[in-house]
Amino acid sequence: SMPVVASMREKIGDAALERLLTRGQSEVSIRSLAGDLGVTPMALYRYFKNKEELQLALLDAGFRVFGEYLDRHMGRGTAAERARLLADGFFAFAIEKSAYFELIFLSSRSLPGLRTRREVQEAARPTYVALRNAVRDCIDDGVIPAGDLDATAQGVLAFCVGYAALYISGNMGWSPAEARTAFRDAFATHLANLSREPTAARARRKRKA
């Protein structure tokens, strides 16, 4: 009965994610989740031996789903087209899996201490590497001027997270379709702006010369 086990694990994960994002990490316990699901705490201990194991599983699942979205949108084409596809995947993840997006990028209250854990860093690494590679390809293709690769990749990530957070907050009043269009246009502009070397970087180079 493997499928039953998988679906119960998913139910526990969904309930934990909901509780974590609405009430904070202190309100997530095996006992409280058992109450939410209408089962005994003992039933949950068959799936997760403690709260920390459950939280690690949530982060791991979040990054796995995120990775699937990035992979799904990766295609052939120029470096700039691949970067835009990657950004589309990022934004689709934020819209369609907003609870996982919040867990990974927005929820500062959740999972204190776990983010520095090796397991979490290893789970997060492939998604960052995909972004970093896309930026590196844009530099190699001359779409973006050569510079600090990690700083540029982090800037692109911050842009994507910021736009997705604007949508999720509801402050812009965008429908999902409007949000996708606004994001796509803004990302194309962002990429074009990156292709013009920022004044500050130029000024620093002049001072060094």
Side-chain angles (χ1 to χ4, degrees), residues 120-159:
V120 175
Q121 290 176 336
E122 281 175 11
R125 187 160 173 71
T127 51
Y128 179 68
V129 167
L131 172 72
R132 194 175 183 274
N133 288 346
V135 170
R136 192 195 58 218
D137 290 349
C138 283
I139 290 171
D140 291 347
D141 263 25
V143 179
I144 300 175
D148 182 330
L149 176 56
D150 279 300
T152 307
Q154 284 156 16
V156 170
L157 178 62
F159 177 87

